[in-house]
Amino acid sequence: MTPIYRVQKILRQLLLGLLLMPALVWAQGLLTNLPNRHITSLAGAWNYIVDPYETGYYNYRMEPYDQQALPSNSAFFMNYHARDKTELVEYDFDKSATLAVPGDWNSQKENLLYYEGTVWFKRSFDYTKKQTGNRLFVYFGAVNYKAEVYLNGKKLGTHEGGFTPFNFEVTALLQPKDNFLVVKVDNKRFKQAVPTVNTDWWNYGGMTREVVLIEEPASFIRDYLIQLKKNESQTVSGHVQLDGAVNGEAVSIEIPELGLVHRVVTERGYAAFEFKIGKINHWSPQSPKLYEVFIKTKQQSLVDQIGFRTISTDGPNILLNGQSIFLRGISIHEENTQRSARAFSQADALTALTWAKELGCNYVRLAHYPHNENMLRMADKLGLLVWEEIPVYWTVDFASAATLSSAKQQLTAAMTRDKNRAAIIIWSMANETPPSEMRNSFLLELIAHSKTLDNTRLLSAALERHEKEGDPWTYVLDDKIGEHLDIVAFNQYLGWYGGKPEDATKVKWDIRFDKPVLMSEFGGSALQGLHGTRDERWSEEYQAYLYEQTLLMVENIPHIRGISPWILADFRSPKRLLPGIQDGWNRKGLISNHGIKKKAFFTLQSFYDKMAKQFPSY
Ligand code: GCU
């Protein structure tokens, strides 16, 4: 190859890389806007086999069956049945019990409450394509923690990460009758996982969110971004990614209510665009306006419900649509209190977010991992601003490349799925991670990565304060990573983990950043129904008094622009073991795990009522 030709070839590849770059950094192949697609749900009773020794995955030499040249009928993903009475087969899905999917296994079976290991799931189904030539995908809302997926005995792939969606194309494999989808789910904790082995929440295992089949035309709209450009209240900036498109396929973005049609031509399925949207009704908590937005090609018309708003900071202020706001928030785990189980449905989302609205919230911190899509779409509808985070929690293995790759993959999937949700204003990189050079470079990687995906939303992380040398009542916030965040947030538990509730009024704050500050956690535990004096630990009175005193302190924190107390409702935790009080539950909820409000709920509610009057705009 002549030198000039080689240079030309390299330049061409570089240019192609740059052109496709925006398209390539989003989650590879993830289909977004699931609720508005043609889906067939695979929810329901799935046969399951508990397999702690992974007998269905490895032969007796610990060699994976799915990496052997010849498939073995001993491999559970073959869903094999003995053909006659002489044949040896030591499993049978169809004779095994069933679990409901979506749903964690811990809350469905007493003997699986603490189970950590492999459970196999199998669903048989027929499927007739609506139109020949269409393409078929199987989509998982989330599987905690690791999934090996097989269809009709063929491996589709593997996925790690318990809180983000993934899908596989099955066009060539799906048959009209007797399909069997087998999923090996393993929720064992391990050091390099994200989160790592130590969390203050239950390690719910299973297919905890929807499992659906999606049918699309041969060339279809896989993904798109349609949001306001950073700091521009009347300019939409975005892109569209087709899959299977011919070169030069046309796409139109239509918003009928605005009489708007914007046409683009795609290059290898991708097109970036900007267009003026004129005077619109901007999305906000008080006016959560969602527009019907249509993305159309020759073969397909896909609708989405999208809000348009701007979010930015100016010194200590958070500006929503150019107006300074105070975030009246609450932290939420993804748990349905009535079922004591992983939440996943629209009804679960409505319950949790209605409680938040009742508290007087305009904001929720969805801890400590990406919640199910119903929560984000419900927040869009109800008008609640959202902090969304990935489970880079406490002491993940900052030295491990595999850990960083998993954190990036989870961040990418969450941002890909949710980038059109106006409610989300903050992406959080971490929670209470111990400062170190290794941790800082890990988080800087995540910060840089998130900026390649979305430069409009604000970045934060829940940091920790420390006491000033020789002055225990001066709390310092100077975590170096704060220099790289738009919003500096911190968790503090004065009055619960050390000190007394009334000490809160002694504290002076030394915040080393000219940025908005959020107190992303504070709180204390109470067993609902336990009453006593306000210095009696675990009583509702103690919790309410702690809230009262901490809320007095909040107003003295420089640059404070919001709080998200810990936490809306009691939640399961294997670390909370005090008999008769905790019994495997973290009791910091303002609502019990039976849905009963505690005194502190009303303490916070009256504080927010006062704040709303002070900051009437939102
Ligand atoms: C920590 C942590 C939470 C935990 C809480 C508690 O700040 O972020 O995940 O549940 O404190 O101790 O209750």
Side-chain angles (χ1 to χ4, degrees):
M1 190 189 301
T2 60
I4 181 68
Y5 179 71
R6 190 181 294 121
V7 167
Q8 281 170 340
K9 191 166 181 309
I10 292 167
L11 283 175
R12 221 183 4 260
Q13 279 165 345
L14 262 178
L15 186 66
L16 180 62
L18 285 172
L19 273 176
L20 279 176
M21 225 301 255
L24 290 183
V25 292
W26 297 102
Q28 281 300 335
L30 186 66
L31 277 74
T32 54
N33 187 13
L34 185 81
N36 290 296
R37 288 186 187 271
H38 298 298
I39 61 174
T40 302
S41 172
L42 293 178
W46 288 52
N47 298 101
Y48 76 97
I49 298 172
V50 179
D51 184 10
Y53 284 70
E54 300 178 274
T55 307
Y57 185 71
Y58 294 104
N59 63 23
Y60 76 111
R61 294 267 191 258
M62 286 304 278
E63 294 156 340
Y65 283 121
D66 64 14
Q67 290 166 28
Q68 305 305 306
L70 292 173
S72 155
N73 293 330
S74 305
F76 288 6
F77 53 81
M78 296 304 287
N79 184 32
Y80 191 70
H81 298 83
R83 276 167 309 185
D84 60 45
K85 62 184 178 186
T86 66
E87 201 167 2
L88 169 65
V89 180
E90 297 183 85
Y91 72 96
D92 185 329
F93 275 115
D94 295 334
K95 292 194 179 115
S96 302
T98 62
L99 281 170
V101 170
D104 64 84
W105 61 61
N106 315 73
S107 61
Q108 294 190 59
K109 300 288 178 190
E110 186 70 31
N111 62 356
L112 296 179
L113 179 60
Y114 280 91
Y115 180 70
E116 293 183 303
T118 285
V119 175
W120 292 85
F121 292 83
K122 189 274 291 183
R123 180 81 153 72
S124 297
F125 60 95
D126 300 339
Y127 188 85
T128 307
K129 271 188 186 176
K130 290 166 186 59
Q131 198 168 331
T132 51
N134 280 358
R135 295 168 65 183
L136 294 164
F137 298 83
V138 60
Y139 174 102
F140 297 83
V143 177
N144 189 44
Y145 178 83
K146 183 173 181 181
E148 315 277 351
V149 184
Y150 308 83
L151 177 65
N152 301 337
K154 299 276 183 314
K155 183 150 197 184
L156 299 183
T158 299
H159 181 268
E160 271 197 35
F163 304 97
T164 45
F166 57 100
N167 48 245
F168 301 104
E169 181 156 11
V170 293
T171 310
L173 280 174
L174 213 69
Q175 52 209 29
K177 305 288 283 177
D178 305 329
N179 296 286
F180 55 94
L181 182 62
V182 175
V183 184
K184 176 185 185 286
V185 180
D186 184 350
N187 76 331
K188 271 195 303 298
R189 290 166 291 124
F190 58 98
K191 185 171 184 295
Q192 288 75 24
V194 179
T196 186
V197 294
N198 185 27
T199 64
D200 190 20
W201 72 78
W202 208 265
N203 178 28
Y204 288 109
M207 292 193 276
T208 49
R209 296 176 190 166
E210 65 273 295
V211 183
V212 300
L213 294 170
I214 308 175
E215 182 167 340
E216 297 290 355
S219 158
F220 70 96
I221 303 155
R222 191 179 75 218
D223 186 26
Y224 51 86
L225 169 69
I226 302 172
Q227 285 283 281
L228 288 181
K229 190 173 179 181
K230 182 90 182 157
N231 298 328
E232 298 218 12
S233 60
Q234 299 196 8
T235 305
V236 166
S237 167
H239 67 257
V240 59
Q241 176 68 61
L242 306 182
D243 190 314
V246 294
N247 215 1
E249 183 146 357
V251 179
S252 69
I253 315 290
E254 302 182 13
I255 310 179
E257 191 179 337
L258 301 174
L260 186 144
V261 177
H262 182 77
R263 290 188 179 80
V264 290
V265 175
T266 55
E267 278 290 300
R268 280 178 294 282
Y270 179 83
F273 49 78
E274 272 190 16
F275 57 83
K276 290 294 178 200
I277 196 168
K279 281 190 77 53
I280 59 168
N281 187 344
H282 286 94
W283 187 95
S284 74
Q286 279 196 328
S287 162
K289 170 68 180 172
L290 299 176
Y291 287 91
E292 293 268 293
V293 178
F294 293 84
I295 305 97
K296 291 185 178 177
T297 63
K298 255 197 330 287
Q299 298 87 350
Q300 185 176 22
S301 171
L302 187 60
V303 69
D304 200 348
Q305 296 72 33
I306 297 180
F308 298 98
R309 53 99 191 97
T310 61
I311 189 74
S312 59
T313 62
D314 173 17
N317 296 312
I318 300 174
L319 306 179
L320 177 70
N321 299 322
Q323 284 200 305
S324 177
I325 56 170
F326 185 90
L327 300 178
R328 307 188 302 272
I330 190 72
S331 292
I332 301 177
H333 256 308
E334 187 180 58
E335 200 169 278
N336 172 289
T337 47
Q338 311 301 333
R339 296 196 312 272
S340 308
R342 268 275 168 259
F344 57 82
S345 67
Q346 267 188 351
D348 293 342
L350 186 60
T351 301
L353 297 185
T354 303
W355 275 332
K357 294 287 270 189
E358 218 183 306
L359 255 182
C361 296
N362 62 0
Y363 161 70
V364 289
R365 174 178 178 232
L366 301 186
H368 281 296
Y369 35 73
H371 285 216
N372 66 83
E373 189 168 1
N374 291 310
M375 277 296 266
L376 285 313
R377 287 186 178 265
M378 194 59 76
D380 260 3
K381 276 192 201 114
L382 298 183
L384 283 161
L385 296 157
V386 169
W387 156 309
E388 180 163 342
E389 73 182 58
I390 53 170
V392 175
Y393 179 90
W394 287 354
T395 56
V396 296
D397 186 355
F398 296 112
S400 153
T403 304
L404 177 60
S405 155
S406 176
K408 275 186 180 175
Q409 184 269 333
Q410 294 185 43
L411 181 62
T412 305
M415 294 176 81
T416 302
R417 185 194 70 183
D418 297 336
K419 60 186 175 295
N420 292 309
R421 306 281 71 82
I424 302 172
I425 55 167
I426 298 169
W427 300 115
S428 172
M429 303 293 113
N431 180 75
E432 293 189 353
T433 50
S436 73
E437 283 311 308
M438 196 75 84
R439 170 268 210 166
N440 290 347
S441 62
F442 187 100
L443 295 189
L444 285 172
E445 285 267 352
L446 290 182
I447 290 166
H449 183 66
S450 56
K451 285 180 175 168
T452 62
L453 294 170
D454 178 358
N455 72 346
T456 63
R457 292 179 173 89
L458 306 175
L459 301 184
S460 190
L463 308 173
E464 292 176 306
R465 49 100 193 146
H466 62 86
E467 289 158 17
K468 192 168 183 178
E469 201 73 20
D471 174 3
W473 295 119
T474 295
Y475 286 178
V476 182
L477 193 62
D478 61 357
D479 188 325
K480 282 224 301 274
I481 206 70
E483 289 153 23
H484 305 276
L485 300 170
D486 299 302
I487 292 180
V488 176
F490 67 91
N491 300 346
Q492 69 82 32
Y493 280 90
L494 178 60
W496 186 258
Y497 297 122
K500 293 185 173 56
E502 57 271 25
D503 292 337
T505 48
K506 293 181 196 163
V507 172
K508 292 184 294 305
W509 286 88
D510 178 357
I511 309 263
R512 304 283 172 86
F513 305 97
D514 178 26
K515 301 184 174 191
V517 171
L518 301 181
M519 193 191 295
S520 34
E521 285 183 33
F522 73 84
S525 294
L527 177 65
Q528 187 277 322
L530 179 67
H531 294 286
T533 52
R534 68 184 195 188
D535 61 348
E536 184 176 341
R537 187 120 8 198
W538 306 108
S539 71
E540 287 196 38
E541 286 69 20
Y542 187 106
Q543 186 189 41
Y545 178 53
L546 184 148
Y547 267 71
E548 203 183 280
Q549 295 298 304
T550 305
L551 292 170
L552 287 175
M553 170 174 73
V554 164
E555 297 172 0
N556 304 329
I557 301 174
H559 297 1
I560 190 79
R561 289 295 181 276
I563 59 173
S564 45
W566 192 259
I567 185 170
L568 179 67
D570 291 353
F571 60 95
R572 281 189 191 279
S573 167
K575 298 170 73 74
R576 307 298 174 172
L577 305 171
L578 183 60
I581 298 279
Q582 295 176 312
D583 299 317
W585 291 84
N586 183 313
R587 297 290 184 199
K588 293 192 183 67
L590 295 174
I591 298 172
S592 77
N593 58 303
H594 298 295
I596 301 169
K597 297 180 180 76
K598 306 173 190 174
K599 274 175 164 309
F601 180 98
F602 304 101
T603 308
L604 183 62
Q605 187 183 51
S606 56
F607 176 77
Y608 282 165
D609 186 44
K610 190 184 77 174
M611 287 301 288
K613 291 187 177 84
Q614 198 179 343
F615 286 83
S617 47
Y618 287 100

